[in-house]
Amino acid sequence: MKRLILCATLLAATMTASAQNDYTGTWAAAAEWTGPADSPRMTLSGNTLREIVQVSIGGKVLQLQLSNEFSKEPVDIKSVYVADALDSCDINKKSAVQLTFGKSRSVTIEPGKTVMSDDFAYNLKPRQRLAITICYGASMPTNVTSHRGSRTTSYIAVGEVAAKKKFVSAEKLDHWYNIAQLNVKTDGQVKAVAVLGNSITDGRGSTTNLQNRWPDQMAAHLDCGVLNLGIGGNCVVRGGLSEPALKRFDRDILGQKNVDRLIIFQGTNDIGTSHHAEKTANELIDAYKTLIKRAHDAGIKKVYGATITAFKGNGWYTPFHETARQVVNEWIRTSGEFDGVIDFDQLTRDPSDREKLKKEYSEDWLHLNPEGYRVMGEFAAEKLK
């Protein structure tokens, strides 16, 4: 009898693991707390929000995760539908598909929670732009869970706008609200690569609505899911904007579907804002070791370390900060702790001044521009192939 119970338990666990691997992430965004500066001028309560994302891989069956993780009040949602995005806030109405949550069109997301939609059929093409439209109910948090650096325009219309109705934008803003993951059914055959980063990964310096961040450029050369979990101003150890990487890692990286590779490209904010550069360098190295172990323990096969790009010419540059950057980069290159190295520093620095970015790649000597991101994306894709 004990053997039968054990076999049944093992079978159930195997089936559960198999079901979890049926889906692979095609798009994701790191959730954040929303302050007044990043909140809509008009309320979302009783109104309709249309958000645009660009996916990486396609599929025929999808699921969408919504997040209320950083809010203290519930979110009431009347309905959610997706459709092929056209220009501005327009959609291909014939492609619209209504989502359900537990077989109901409406759903309430409790404070600190997420919800996943039921599976839904949709002809999602690789690299296409998808419009996600949320019709909100009466209850909305003061601080809506968001992702500040969408680099993509979202649109708010007055009242509830059904898929077949004309959407008239009353407010435009470059943030995402409540959307967290979009996954496609792949039966585990197609994997995803997740990217942990800060504003350089989040796309500061890229072109709004053109989807030319470096992970976007990388995705154009890979046949796998690419999940950008960068947050502007984010640190690895402490401080910065939003939760540091050590704290958000389980949710933002390990919480993604079917990730088998991870790129860690983060640390410039820790160094640049530090008053004790040598101490910060050592803390970063210890943090990388911790994140590598957590990723491997969770089943991520390869963890790549990306070297920290140069920032001479930017306001926070000092010789002490530069020394810390060099120490950390040398460890990334030579320690053997990472399964692979993506040397963005060597790729993007000025050959005549290794402490500075190439002038054609940056306008502020910290973030890259679209040309710099193109080069980075193509370089990273080659390393992952």
Side-chain angles (χ1 to χ4, degrees):
M1 180 62 72
K2 288 183 179 180
R3 181 175 295 179
L4 289 174
I5 293 173
L6 178 60
C7 290
T9 302
L10 290 173
L11 178 61
T14 301
M15 292 176 65
T16 299
S18 176
Q20 290 174 346
N21 290 332
D22 282 350
Y23 275 92
T24 299
T26 185
W27 173 89
E32 302 179 83
W33 179 86
T34 308
D38 299 311
S39 297
R41 293 190 306 274
M42 61 186 290
T43 181
L44 290 173
S45 177
N47 293 326
T48 300
L49 172 68
R50 179 161 290 167
E51 309 177 88
I52 313 298
V53 303
Q54 180 171 287
V55 305
S56 49
I57 54 175
K60 301 294 186 182
V61 180
L62 287 67
Q63 57 177 204
L64 174 70
Q65 185 191 69
L66 303 176
S67 173
N68 192 30
E69 292 172 275
F70 286 93
S71 306
K72 295 182 179 179
E73 301 91 22
V75 173
D76 283 342
I77 294 175
K78 290 182 178 179
S79 66
V80 181
Y81 56 90
V82 300
D84 293 351
L86 301 177
D87 291 337
S88 184
C89 62
D90 292 336
I91 61 171
N92 177 355
K93 297 177 182 178
K94 293 182 180 179
S95 70
V97 172
Q98 190 78 45
L99 275 58
T100 60
F101 301 83
K103 299 184 179 180
S104 172
R105 288 193 175 191
S106 63
V107 65
T108 297
I109 316 175
E110 297 300 330
K113 302 296 183 181
T114 64
V115 296
M116 189 72 78
S117 75
D118 300 329
D119 296 356
F120 61 96
Y122 195 88
N123 184 25
L124 186 74
K125 304 173 189 66
R127 304 278 294 153
Q128 81 157 80
R129 293 167 64 248
L130 185 74
I132 303 170
T133 305
I134 304 175
C135 301
Y136 288 96
S139 177
M140 284 299 302
T142 303
N143 304 105
V144 184
T145 297
S146 70
H147 182 81
R148 294 173 294 112
S150 66
R151 320 294 169 197
T152 302
T153 304
S154 298
Y155 308 87
I156 306 175
V158 176
E160 183 176 358
V161 182
K164 302 300 181 183
K165 292 184 179 179
K166 182 175 178 57
F167 189 103
V168 180
S169 176
E171 182 179 349
K172 297 190 290 186
L173 64 175
D174 295 335
H175 309 298
W176 286 315
Y177 300 100
N178 295 127
I179 55 176
Q181 291 183 17
L182 185 69
N183 306 309
V184 297
K185 198 165 189 177
T186 60
D187 296 326
Q189 299 304 307
V190 179
K191 307 293 185 180
V193 54
V195 185
L196 181 69
N198 48 45
S199 57
I200 300 175
T201 294
D202 205 22
R204 176 77 177 269
S206 65
T207 311
T208 300
N209 293 321
L210 289 191
Q211 319 295 337
N212 54 11
R213 317 164 190 82
W214 75 260
D216 298 321
Q217 303 281 5
M218 180 176 72
H221 299 277
L222 296 175
D223 295 321
C224 66
V226 174
L227 308 177
N228 185 337
L229 284 311
I231 294 180
N234 197 236
C235 287
V236 176
V237 180
R238 71 178 66 85
L241 298 179
S242 298
E243 293 180 334
L246 282 172
K247 185 174 182 179
R248 69 184 182 94
F249 189 78
D250 286 5
R251 177 186 65 249
D252 289 347
I253 301 300
L254 303 186
Q256 305 302 324
K257 298 287 188 180
N258 213 12
V259 171
D260 72 341
R261 287 166 293 174
L262 166 65
I263 299 172
I264 298 177
F265 177 41
Q266 196 162 354
T268 192
N269 291 328
D270 297 73
I271 293 172
T273 59
S274 172
H275 299 294
H276 305 282
E278 182 179 353
K279 178 183 176 183
T280 298
N282 291 329
E283 288 180 335
L284 272 174
I285 290 169
D286 288 341
Y288 293 149
K289 292 177 181 177
T290 297
L291 296 178
I292 293 167
K293 185 178 187 307
R294 284 160 67 178
H296 284 157
D297 288 349
I300 295 177
K301 294 180 180 179
K302 290 188 177 182
V303 182
Y304 294 81
T307 51
I308 299 170
T309 47
F311 49 72
K312 184 178 180 180
N314 188 267
W316 66 27
Y317 172 87
T318 70
F320 298 103
H321 292 123
E322 177 60 23
T323 298
R325 187 180 75 90
Q326 296 290 352
V327 168
V328 172
N329 280 351
E330 185 64 16
W331 182 87
I332 291 172
R333 293 184 182 108
T334 64
S335 68
E337 295 282 344
F338 285 104
D339 301 299
V341 175
I342 302 173
D343 202 339
F344 283 150
D345 172 39
Q346 185 177 43
L347 174 75
T348 61
R349 71 191 182 205
D350 187 336
S352 64
D353 187 348
R354 68 192 298 243
E355 299 180 3
K356 201 169 189 177
L357 291 167
K358 291 180 181 179
K359 62 181 181 180
E360 63 266 32
Y361 289 168
S362 179
E363 274 71 59
D364 67 359
W365 303 111
L366 174 63
H367 303 94
L368 285 290
N369 58 25
E371 177 60 16
Y373 287 141
R374 180 190 67 79
V375 171
M376 288 174 65
E378 292 177 355
F379 181 75
E382 286 299 317
K383 292 293 183 180
L384 265 63
K385 284 182 179 178

